[in-house]
Amino acid sequence: METKPIRVRFAPSPTGPLHIGGVRTALYNFLFARKLKGTMILRIEDTDQNRFVPGAEKYIVDSLRWCGLDFDESPETGGPHAPYRQSERSAIYREYIQRLIENGHAYYAFDTEAELEAHRENAKSSGHKTFQYDQVTRKSLKNSLSLTPSEVSELIASGASYVIRVCIPENETVVVQDLIRGEVSVNSANLDDKVLFKSDGLPTYHLANVVDDYLMKITHVIRGEEWLPSAPLHLLLYRSFGWEDVMPKFAHLPLILKPDGNGKLSKRDGDRLGFPVFPTSWEDPKTGELYSGYRESGYLPEAVINILAHLGWNPGTEQELFTMEELIDQFSLERVGKHGSKFDPEKAKWFNHQYMQKKTVEELADLLAPRLSEHHLSPSPEYLQNVLRLVKERASLVPDLWTNSWYFFMRPTIYDQQVYQKIWQPATSSVIKELAAEVEKLADFNKDSFHDLVQEFTARTGIKMGMVMNPLRLLMVGSNQGPGMMDMAGVLGKEEFLARISIGLENLGASKA
Ligand code: GLU
C-alpha cells in the first residue's frame, strides 16, 4: 500500500506573542515532519478580527526562526496550497459552508445577541443548566430549522444579520481516536451547535481549520490539549463534508503546568514567577506592557528547544542533552505522555548552563561582543578567549559572561568596603608592595611562575597565603569575586597586574584617609 506523504501544520492565531506552549507545539510538529521526511506548514489562523494583534504574525515567525524552526510552506515562502493566511481565503470558506447548508449539516440562525443574552439570563434565574444553542434549544430559537423556508428567505432578503451554525446530530456517540490519549468519546447531546460562519462573512476557527486541513492535505493534527474538546466537532465536520476517509490523525499534546503543578502555565505566570514564558520579548502594542523573552534573558535557542522537548516527550533513556538532529532522529509521538508536565525554571537554567559549556570560546566571544562594544572595548581575540576560558564555567545565562568577566577588560574603580574591612590588615599594604617588587623582577610572568613566586614568598616570610591572595583579588576585581587568583593574574599579565596593585593601593589608601 502506498503511504501518504506526511504533512503537518502549525496553525497559530496572531492574537499576541507565542507562549512557550505554542513553541512546543511547533517543535513537535517540526520534529515529526523532519523525522518522517514530511512537510511542515505554517498557517496563520486570523479569521477572528476582534482578536487580531498587529505584529503578532511577525513575532511568531521571527521567534520560531530564532528557535531554529522553519517551514516548508508558509505565508512567507508560499507553496502549492497558498494562501496560507486564512483571512485571504474567505471565498473558499463561503463555498464550503454553502455545501453544509445544502446537505443539512448547517443552518442559518437569526437570533440577535440581545435575544441570546436573554436566554442565558433566563436559564440562570430558573436554575437550569447554562443555556446552550443545541439540539434541544434550537427547535425553539430563531433559525432556518424552526422557521419556514419563506420566512428564512425573507429575513435574508431583508438583510437581517445571521450566523451559520453546525447542526449537531442528535444523540450519537462521537468517538475520536487520538494518538496520545487513545479513544475519546462524547455523546453528541453534550455538544452545542457552534457558529461556523459569522455575521461578518468570515468563518470561525472550527470551519476554517477543518476546511484548510482537508485542502492542505494535512495527515496529522498535532496541537495542544486545549483543542481536544473541539475534536468531536471537527470529526463531525469531516463526516458532514464526506471527508472522513482522508481525515487527519489527531495528537493532542499534554499541558505545560505551572512549576507547582497547579494548572496550566499562563502568559502571566512568567513575569509573576520570575522566568520568561515567551521565546523572545514582546511589547504589547495596545498597553505598551513588556513581557520578557528567553532570548533577551540570555537563553540559547538550543537550550530552549531542549527544555521544550522534555516537557511532554521523553526519550526513554537517560540522555538529557540533544542536538536538533538527535531530537529529529529520536522523536516519536508514542513517547509523548498523557499527563501535564511541570515547568521547572531551575532545570531550564541548568539546561542553558549545559549548552553554554558546549560552546567554543569563539562562539562565546560572539555572545559577549555586544556588551564589549557597548563599553567601547575591543580586546584582542586571543585575550578575549583566554578570559572566556576562565569564566565560562560560571555562566548559566549569556549575561553571566559579562558579569563574570568585565574586570578583565576594565580596572575596578570601586572596592567593596565590606570585603576591605574584613581582609585588610595593618601590614597588608606593605606585604603586597613587597610581593609586587618581586613580581617586577620576574622575567617570565605567567600563571605558573607567579604561583611559584607566591609559594616561595609565603614560605620565606611566613605570611599566610590568604593574607596575600585576598587583598590581591580585591585589588584586581574590586570585590571577592572571580576565578582562581593565579589564573586571573596569568591572563591579566604582568603589566596590568602591577598597575592594578599600585592604583588600588593608592585608591584604598585614599578611601581610608
Ligand atoms: N488557531 C488555533 C490556535 O491558535 C489552532 C489550533 C489547531 O491547531 O487546530 O492554536
Side-chain angles (χ1 to χ4, degrees), residues 21 46 59 82 107 114 218 225 237 253 310 332 346 399 425 496:
D46 56 350
Y59 175 94
Y107 60 90
I218 300 302
E225 191 180 282
L237 288 175
L253 307 175
H310 290 276
S332 75
E346 285 313 309
Q425 294 173 22
E496 184 62 20

Side-chain angles (χ1 to χ4, degrees), residues 108-110 156 160-164 197-200:
Y108 296 101
F110 300 94
I156 293 178
S161 168
Y162 63 81
V163 297
I164 299 173
F197 210 79
K198 297 171 290 173
S199 52
D200 63 3

Side-chain angles (χ1 to χ4, degrees), residues 3-69:
T3 47
K4 273 199 283 180
I6 299 291
R7 290 177 59 84
V8 294
R9 81 316 190 257
F10 178 55
S13 298
T15 54
L18 195 59
H19 177 264
I20 49 169
V23 182
R24 186 196 57 173
T25 300
L27 172 66
Y28 287 16
N29 273 284
F30 176 87
L31 297 175
F32 185 78
R34 292 289 174 264
K35 170 156 189 165
L36 300 173
K37 310 270 176 279
T39 303
M40 167 77 165
I41 296 155
L42 174 67
R43 185 173 72 223
I44 298 294
E45 302 209 324
D46 56 350
T47 58
D48 188 349
Q49 292 181 321
N50 297 325
R51 296 184 63 217
F52 179 81
V53 173
E57 179 183 329
K58 181 170 166 22
Y59 175 94
I60 291 167
V61 172
D62 291 350
S63 61
L64 290 177
R65 187 168 293 141
W66 177 73
C67 291
L69 304 180

Side-chain angles (χ1 to χ4, degrees), residues 92-101 103 105-106 166 196 206-212 214 233-246:
I92 299 175
Y93 310 122
R94 224 169 285 136
E95 177 194 329
Y96 282 96
I97 193 65
Q98 212 47 48
R99 283 203 204 174
L100 289 188
I101 297 257
N103 66 19
H105 290 296
V166 62
L196 297 179
H206 302 291
L207 180 74
N209 187 271
V210 165
V211 167
D212 283 347
Y214 167 74
L233 167 63
H234 295 179
L235 182 138
L236 289 174
L237 288 175
Y238 280 101
R239 196 178 288 170
S240 307
F241 280 118
W243 299 335
E244 215 175 348
D245 55 335
V246 289

Side-chain angles (χ1 to χ4, degrees), residues 451-467:
H451 173 264
D452 294 347
L453 186 147
V454 175
Q455 286 286 340
E456 195 274 326
F457 179 82
T458 48
R460 174 164 38 88
T461 56
I463 295 169
K464 286 211 189 81
M465 201 57 143
M467 169 96 177

